[in-house]
Amino acid sequence: MITALQNFFLKHNKWLFGSLLVVIIVTFVLTIGPQSFFGGSSARQRETLEYYGYDLSSQADQRALAYAAEVSAILHPELRLNRQQLMDYAYLRLTALGLANQLGIPAPKEKELQEYVESISIFQDRQTGEFSAESYNRIVEALQNNARFDRRTMGRVLREDYRIREVRKALSGPDYTLPFAIRQDYLAQETEYDLVLAHLDYASFSPEMEIPEEELRTFYEENPSRYEIPEKLPVTALLFKAEAYADEVAEPSEAELRALFASDRESYEAEYGKGGEEAADASEGPDGEEPEEEPVTFGMVEAEVRKDWVMEEASRIAARKGEQFTIRLWKEQIDLGSREYDQLRQEFAAQTREIEPFARGNAPSVEDVPADLLDSMWMYATNPNRFFSDAARISDGAVILVTPGSVPSRMPAFAEVREEVEEQYREAEKRRLFADKGKQLRNRFEEARSRSDFAELAAEAALEVEDVEAFTGGAVPPELRRSGIWEQAQHLAEGRISNMVMDGEKGTFAYMAARKEPVVNTGSEEFLSFAQRRKSALGDTLGWVRLREMTDRSLGAVLGDTVEMP
């Protein structure tokens, strides 16, 4: 369904899948991108598409949805969202809020909101798991320091997320988990493990190789995708910076300057008052005592206020210049690279910045260029009627992107990439031989009958031996869980050895020195508490899954029969 949105709007390439939930992964694909009000779209695409109070064909509404989703994603890092997934998350949030209205779920009262905020992991102390006012204030301050966010927006998003949580609870339904499954999960969490690890260094592994030229050619022919140069898009950024238009700013009145000073007094006091840069050299009085704090007045910083006022006004002018530039391009049908184009660029004092050509889904990070705007340029890759984006606001003006069109993909000749082919072939052979050595070592390690036997055999083979402190399945050391060896090690019986698992620049073996499973009392307070926590986690997961299903169906109803359902 979400992929169908891409086909409907004829936007840029589909986004990558990613993880959404804490307990399980809910994958989805982001597709809706910025929509231009200039030509290049059909009448069908310009229709209003109402969806829970928002127009999905409106660029402004799309940005509003993405903005709220971005704030929510910041406040919920456990969702592990990246920017490619924000619009998909935005649709889930919008659907959930629409359902909240239909179900009559009200906004939280003050106490309910406080309890909800205290339950959010980003506001909790990492050591104790309890709410931390320090963590809360740090996050609020970080958001406020970003010009794109403010405290009011954060409060609105938190109230929305509270209602969304209640919708997920309503959608989760009853728990049909079998008692056997709960018991097995409890066993996995409470079982005690005592492991010994042995690491074989990959970097120092240097087998001798003789590589015939024919094998290199065969490797090249069997792996064309490794060497194909993908279609790329060259893009140039046109920057309309505030400093270029400072001379066009009218002289401000004293009232206007005082109003600006009053609206941002705290910033001026922090910069020019006690403790600011201006006071840094005079932090102590003649007797070594701190001087009395002197309040910052308008007269003390009038010159700085004037500069700030001029730059703010110049930034607004720059934004208007960017919009006027695109209108001129469109109305006068100016071609990229033409004399008229160069004259127009000079007339508007637009700065140019060349951006290295990039493949689909691999846009670079460029200062002053919004990532979504850069990604959206693929919609103009083969558009004969338009080569420029809409003007996008940046902190000190506006930016427009232009492109002459994409550079087609091509398959380079073998001679052109021979060195790269040989390098990759050698690496592939090295990994194969390294895996073979791992199998040989494991056969040797099977002779081990105790922890000391395994450690001795591993040391003789020049492996690095690591003793892991005993732990339970519910408290697996993070470095062990990240390594990948745990997937095999957790299933080992006592006295058994795992296969070698590649982990970065080393191959790792695990030896289960001891394994102790607990006696399960299903009526104990500890077991019942575990079962309740598991039920809550499962309910949250089911809530997300069912919300996703409802979002797909609802969007399908809005878009109509022109959309192919997955």
Side-chain angles (χ1 to χ4, degrees):
M1 176 69 251
I2 299 300
T3 303
L5 282 175
Q6 175 191 17
N7 298 327
F8 183 80
F9 285 104
L10 299 179
K11 291 297 181 182
H12 44 81
N13 61 308
K14 66 180 180 179
W15 303 94
L16 303 176
F17 286 92
S19 56
L20 172 63
L21 305 180
V22 179
V23 183
I24 68 169
I25 297 176
V26 177
T27 57
F28 44 67
V29 182
L30 170 63
T31 55
I32 297 295
Q35 176 71 29
S36 170
F37 60 84
F38 291 111
S41 60
S42 66
R44 169 68 176 167
Q45 287 175 301
R46 291 192 293 270
E47 290 180 7
T48 297
L49 298 172
E50 288 292 335
Y51 187 69
Y52 288 117
Y54 284 80
D55 179 7
L56 298 186
S57 66
S58 165
Q59 184 176 359
D61 282 6
Q62 290 281 341
R63 288 178 175 171
L65 291 172
Y67 177 69
E70 182 178 0
V71 177
S72 178
I74 292 173
L75 298 176
H76 297 282
E78 70 276 7
L79 297 181
R80 294 179 291 178
L81 295 171
N82 55 45
R83 66 179 177 83
Q84 288 93 343
Q85 299 166 323
L86 279 179
M87 279 310 302
D88 206 0
Y89 180 52
Y91 298 138
L92 292 175
R93 294 185 78 256
L94 180 55
T95 303
L97 291 172
L99 292 173
N101 293 334
Q102 294 176 0
L103 296 171
I105 297 176
K109 297 179 181 178
E110 183 177 350
K111 184 177 180 181
E112 292 172 329
L113 181 61
Q114 179 180 343
E115 292 176 349
Y116 173 67
V117 169
E118 292 178 356
S119 71
I120 298 176
S121 61
I122 197 173
F123 298 140
Q124 295 175 347
D125 184 278
R126 293 185 179 182
Q127 301 298 325
T128 65
E130 300 293 328
F131 174 75
S132 167
E134 181 181 351
S135 298
Y136 175 83
N137 291 330
R138 184 174 62 253
I139 297 300
V140 171
E141 182 179 355
L143 285 173
Q144 288 181 323
N145 287 338
N146 189 317
R148 299 183 59 241
F149 306 119
D150 56 59
R151 194 184 190 103
R152 181 180 300 177
T153 300
M154 175 179 164
R156 174 175 63 83
V157 170
L158 283 171
R159 288 190 292 273
E160 291 175 349
D161 286 348
Y162 170 88
R163 299 180 71 205
I164 291 170
R165 184 191 67 173
E166 297 304 301
V167 169
R168 296 203 317 271
K169 287 182 180 179
L171 294 176
S172 64
D175 179 19
Y176 295 106
T177 307
L178 296 174
F180 172 77
I182 297 178
R183 185 179 184 279
Q184 290 302 109
D185 286 349
Y186 179 78
L187 274 174
Q189 176 172 294
E190 298 301 320
T191 297
E192 296 180 2
Y193 302 91
D194 187 2
L195 283 175
V196 183
L197 304 181
H199 307 292
L200 177 62
D201 184 49
Y202 180 75
S204 60
F205 180 69
S206 182
E208 294 184 2
M209 298 183 203
E210 292 186 4
I211 306 175
E213 192 73 7
E214 306 80 56
E215 289 193 19
L216 288 181
R217 284 189 174 275
T218 301
F219 187 79
Y220 162 79
E221 292 169 357
E222 292 178 347
N223 298 277
S225 60
R226 293 191 179 197
Y227 310 109
E228 182 181 18
I229 299 174
E231 178 186 19
K232 292 189 177 182
L233 191 68
V235 173
T236 300
L238 301 180
L239 299 167
F240 300 81
K241 293 282 197 171
E243 61 263 23
Y245 309 103
D247 292 341
E248 299 183 26
V249 177
E251 183 66 22
S253 66
E254 182 176 333
E256 289 173 321
L257 294 178
R258 287 186 177 277
L260 176 60
F261 172 75
S263 67
D264 203 17
R265 179 188 292 270
E266 290 184 0
S267 297
Y268 290 111
E269 289 180 344
E271 186 172 358
Y272 300 103
K274 179 182 176 181
E277 294 181 1
E278 300 295 327
D281 296 333
S283 58
E284 293 186 357
D287 299 327
E289 299 179 355
E290 291 189 2
E292 294 184 6
E293 183 175 352
E294 180 181 357
V296 175
T297 63
F298 171 73
M300 295 168 60
V301 293
E302 181 177 357
E304 286 72 22
V305 174
R306 183 180 299 275
K307 291 179 184 177
D308 292 343
W309 194 91
V310 168
M311 292 310 296
E312 285 189 11
E313 290 300 306
S315 179
R316 295 188 182 96
I317 294 174
R320 290 197 297 271
K321 293 284 187 179
E323 295 171 357
Q324 293 166 4
F325 186 89
T326 57
I327 293 173
R328 289 276 299 275
L329 287 176
W330 180 257
K331 286 187 174 180
E332 299 176 21
Q333 295 295 296
I334 296 175
D335 294 329
L336 178 63
S338 66
R339 184 179 64 180
E340 292 79 7
Y341 172 81
D342 291 336
Q343 290 174 346
L344 187 65
R345 183 171 52 79
Q346 293 173 9
E347 176 186 337
F348 278 80
Q351 303 174 24
T352 60
R353 179 182 299 165
E354 298 297 330
I355 299 174
E356 186 174 348
F358 58 93
R360 292 181 185 272
N362 194 30
S365 177
V366 182
E367 183 181 2
D368 290 327
V369 178
D372 58 345
L373 185 68
L374 191 56
D375 284 325
S376 73
M377 289 305 293
W378 277 100
M379 66 189 295
Y380 308 118
T382 57
N383 188 337
N385 300 317
R386 182 167 177 185
F387 60 86
F388 56 93
S389 71
D390 292 339
R393 286 295 301 268
I394 56 177
S395 60
D396 58 347
V399 61
I400 295 171
L401 301 182
V402 299
T403 179
S406 63
V407 178
S409 62
R410 69 181 183 90
M411 185 66 187
F414 173 74
E416 189 178 344
V417 292
R418 187 195 178 286
E419 290 186 6
E420 183 181 355
V421 173
E422 181 176 351
E423 180 182 348
Q424 293 185 356
Y425 180 87
R426 286 184 178 277
E427 179 62 22
E429 275 296 286
K430 179 180 176 180
R431 286 192 172 273
R432 184 184 66 80
L433 295 172
F434 189 74
D436 287 345
K437 183 171 182 178
K439 294 176 183 178
Q440 296 169 8
L441 288 173
R442 186 183 185 282
N443 291 335
R444 188 190 308 177
F445 295 158
E446 284 289 350
E447 302 173 8
R449 293 293 178 266
S450 66
R451 171 195 292 270
S452 58
D453 285 351
F454 175 74
E456 183 178 344
L457 288 171
E460 288 177 358
L463 272 65
E464 176 190 355
V465 179
E466 177 186 356
D467 275 312
V468 180
E469 187 174 348
F471 59 91
T472 64
V476 180
E479 61 276 10
L480 178 60
R481 188 182 295 277
R482 288 193 299 266
S483 70
I485 188 63
W486 176 240
E487 289 299 319
Q488 285 200 29
Q490 63 182 313
H491 302 297
L492 291 175
E494 187 169 319
R496 300 298 295 173
I497 298 170
S498 72
N499 294 322
M500 185 179 74
V501 173
M502 278 298 297
D503 179 28
E505 291 299 307
K506 61 186 178 182
T508 301
F509 297 91
Y511 174 76
M512 185 65 73
R515 178 188 180 117
K516 182 180 179 182
E517 294 186 355
V519 176
V520 180
N521 180 1
T522 57
S524 67
E525 182 178 345
E526 183 180 6
F527 181 86
L528 295 175
S529 175
F530 170 82
Q532 182 58 43
R533 292 196 305 272
R534 188 184 185 282
K535 178 181 178 181
S536 298
L538 180 60
D540 188 59
T541 295
L542 290 175
W544 277 117
V545 172
R546 288 166 181 162
L547 178 59
R548 170 57 191 273
E549 293 172 350
M550 297 187 73
T551 301
D552 284 351
R553 290 197 298 269
S554 300
L555 286 174
V558 170
L559 296 179
D561 296 336
T562 60
V563 177
E564 298 178 2
M565 297 294 287

